[in-house]
Amino acid sequence: MRTRTLLATLTLITGGLLTGPAATALPAAPLAAPDIALANVQAHLNQLQTIATSNSGNRAHGRPGYRASIDYVQAQLNAAGYTTSLQQFTSSGATGWNLIADWPGGDPDSVLMSGGHLDSVTAGPGINDNGSGSSGLLEVALTVARTNFQPKKHLRFGWWGAEELGLVGSTYYVNNLPAAERTKIRGYLNFDMIGSPNPGYFVYDSNGQPNGSIDLQRALEAHFTALGIPTELTAVGGRSDHAAFARAGIPTGGLFTGAEVTKTAAQAQKWGGTSGVAFDQCYHRACDTTNNINATALDRNSDAIATAIWSLADVTTPPPGPRFENTTDVPIPDLSTVESPITVTGVPGNAPSALAVGVDIKHTYSGDLIVDVIAPDGTAYNVHNRAGGSADNVIGTFTINASSEVANGTWKLRVRDAASADVGTINAWSLQF
C-alpha cells in the first residue's frame, strides 16, 4: 500500500447490479463460493519470500525480484488455463510490468475485475504489503479454474507494478484502455494488505470513496457477516490501486486489514489483538516477511474475496445507456444558487428508475451545499443536502428514480450555497441513462 498522500453514493434498490457507473442492489442471496485453501495462499507467500531473499531482500519496481514475482504468478495462471498478458511501462527510469489474466467465458461486455499490487518497497520483501493481497487473489483465480466456474460476467484479474511509487502501473493500465473498454468494466475489487499481524477487518466505504459502490461493499462484507465477524468501513482514498479505476468512473470496492495506524481499545475488544499497537508494525520495513502475517486474517479475507467474486460475477448486468456530460466550470459564489445544464437528445421514452448522476463539485465546505437535479419539467431530485460537515467537495455518483420523467430535454444541476464564508465550482456533471 502506498504511503498516505466527501463523497456520497446514493443507491436505489432495483434488483440489478452495477448498471453503469452507479450502484444498485445485490441479489438476495449470494451464490456459494468454495473454500479457499489457506495452505495454498501461504505457499504463494513462501514463494514470494524466496524470490525476495534471492534478490537483495525485496521485490520492488525495477528490481529483479519484481520480475521474478510476475513470472511466478503468470506461470501459475497460464498452467490453469488463463489468457495472460504483460503490459510494460516505464517509471523512474526503470521498466515495470502489469500482469492481466482473463478467464475464458462470460459476457465480454460485462467485466468484473479484481486486482492488487505485486511490488514491494525497496526496504523489504513486502509479504503483507502486498504479497498477501496478491497471493489471496492468485489462489482465488486458481480456484476459479479448478472448479471451472462459468459466471455470467467475464472475470479479469490484474497484478499491478510500481504501486509503491504512486499507483503507476494501475494508472497506466486504466489510462491506456479505450473508452469503450472502460465502460465494460462494471466493477473493480482491490486487495491490498489482507494479512496484517494485528489485524482489523476493514471494507472500503461506498460513501467515502470516489465511485464507491454499495454493491461491492455488501458483497465484500457478506463472508464476515456469515461468520459473525464485525467489519468497519474505511475510506482508503488514493492510497491504493482502486483510485485509478475510480477516477475513470468505474465502481470500486476492497478489503484491508490495516497498516501503520494504531489499533484502538475498542477495535481490540471487537477483533482481538493488541490495542495501542499498529495493525502492521512492519509496514514498509525489512521485517515485512512471512513472519509478519496473521494466518486467520489471511484465511478469512481470501474466503471473502471468493464469496464476493462468486456472487457479483453471476449476476446479469444490462449494458449502460448513453452518457451526457457538461464540463464547463460554473463558479459557486458564497450564499448563491447556480445551475449547469445538460441537453439530452435521442433517448427514447422516459429516464430510467436508476438514473446515474455523476457530480464533481469542488468546494471548501460541503456542509454548505444543497445539490438538486432538475428534470426538464422542473421537478427537483435532491442528491446532497448539507451533508459532510467541514469536508471538502461533493464528488461521486448518485442515483435517482427519474422513471416518471421524459428523458429528452434540458436537465440542470442546481447548487445552492446556503451558508457564508466558503466558495467553490461545479467542475463537471453527467447523466448516464
Side-chain angles (χ1 to χ4, degrees):
M1 174 166 282
R2 184 170 169 241
T3 303
R4 190 179 305 274
T5 26
L6 166 72
L7 317 162
T9 302
L10 301 181
T11 54
L12 182 70
I13 304 304
T14 65
L17 174 65
L18 299 180
T19 53
T24 55
L26 277 175
L31 300 176
D35 180 69
I36 302 303
L38 174 61
N40 292 348
V41 181
Q42 291 172 318
H44 301 316
L45 286 177
N46 289 336
Q47 186 61 38
L48 294 179
Q49 178 68 68
T50 298
I51 288 170
T53 301
S54 301
N55 290 279
S56 303
N58 67 68
R59 301 179 303 100
H61 167 74
R63 307 294 180 92
Y66 180 72
R67 181 55 199 250
S69 300
I70 280 281
D71 290 345
Y72 169 73
V73 175
Q74 185 175 30
Q76 296 283 313
L77 295 164
N78 285 343
Y82 279 82
T83 301
T84 66
S85 61
L86 290 180
Q87 183 182 47
Q88 183 174 315
F89 60 89
T90 301
S91 180
S92 300
T95 300
W97 295 272
N98 295 322
L99 170 61
I100 309 301
D102 286 90
W103 179 237
D107 183 355
D109 293 325
S110 185
V111 177
L112 177 66
M113 189 165 190
S114 304
H117 74 92
L118 188 55
D119 64 313
S120 74
V121 292
T122 57
I127 298 303
N128 187 38
D129 185 15
N130 179 41
S132 61
S134 291
S135 296
L137 192 63
L138 172 58
E139 189 55 32
V140 169
L142 296 178
T143 303
V144 166
R146 290 190 198 103
T147 60
N148 195 31
F149 183 39
Q150 295 295 328
K152 296 180 177 71
K153 287 188 177 61
H154 179 77
L155 293 180
R156 181 175 299 154
F157 299 86
W159 286 264
W160 311 118
E163 188 267 1
E164 299 291 4
L165 300 185
L167 318 182
V168 177
S170 56
T171 300
Y172 185 86
Y173 172 77
V174 173
N175 288 351
N176 282 277
L177 278 176
E181 292 301 312
R182 289 187 191 179
T183 63
K184 294 177 183 179
I185 301 177
R186 303 305 175 82
Y188 172 76
L189 302 172
N190 194 64
F191 305 107
D192 190 351
M193 301 180 67
I194 64 168
S196 298
N198 189 30
Y201 293 96
F202 297 101
V203 178
Y204 290 11
D205 184 358
S206 63
N207 281 324
Q209 305 289 139
N211 284 295
S213 164
I214 190 65
D215 286 354
L216 303 187
Q217 177 189 309
R218 288 174 177 168
L220 291 164
E221 290 169 332
H223 179 71
F224 299 103
T225 299
L227 294 178
I229 297 169
T231 56
E232 283 188 16
L233 298 179
T234 185
V236 183
R239 295 193 67 182
S240 196
D241 294 293
H242 66 287
F245 291 82
R247 286 194 294 268
I250 296 169
T252 62
L255 298 176
F256 179 46
T257 52
E260 78 281 13
V261 173
T262 298
K263 178 180 278 189
T264 67
Q267 289 169 330
Q269 183 176 17
K270 178 167 52 179
W271 293 322
T274 307
S275 65
V277 174
F279 293 103
D280 184 354
Q281 293 187 86
C282 289
Y283 175 66
H284 284 186
R285 297 174 59 194
C287 56
D288 187 10
T289 67
T290 49
N291 294 324
N292 191 48
I293 292 289
N294 182 289
T296 299
L298 184 68
D299 189 24
R300 288 171 175 172
N301 279 277
S302 297
D303 287 335
I305 294 171
T307 298
I309 288 176
W310 253 254
S311 63
L312 292 167
D314 216 27
V315 177
T316 301
T317 304
R323 184 173 186 270
F324 300 84
E325 184 175 29
N326 187 338
T327 59
T328 302
D329 288 354
V330 178
I332 307 170
D334 199 22
L335 295 170
S336 68
T337 300
V338 300
E339 294 181 343
S340 175
I342 288 177
T343 299
V344 174
T345 59
V347 180
N350 284 11
S353 59
L355 177 61
V357 182
V359 176
D360 183 354
I361 297 173
K362 299 297 171 59
H363 195 278
T364 51
Y365 200 98
S366 63
D368 285 1
L369 299 182
I370 300 169
V371 183
D372 297 303
V373 177
I374 311 300
D377 68 356
T379 302
Y381 296 85
N382 182 258
V383 297
H384 176 88
N385 193 357
R386 304 194 68 174
S390 61
D392 294 345
N393 310 328
V394 180
I395 305 173
T397 302
F398 304 79
T399 57
I400 60 174
N401 184 352
S403 58
S404 63
E405 307 291 344
V406 174
N408 292 332
T410 299
W411 297 70
K412 299 176 183 177
L413 188 73
R414 178 179 295 165
V415 181
R416 177 188 169 202
D417 186 317
S420 60
D422 292 271
V423 298
T425 303
I426 303 174
N427 282 356
W429 75 289
S430 64
L431 295 170
Q432 176 79 60
F433 285 84

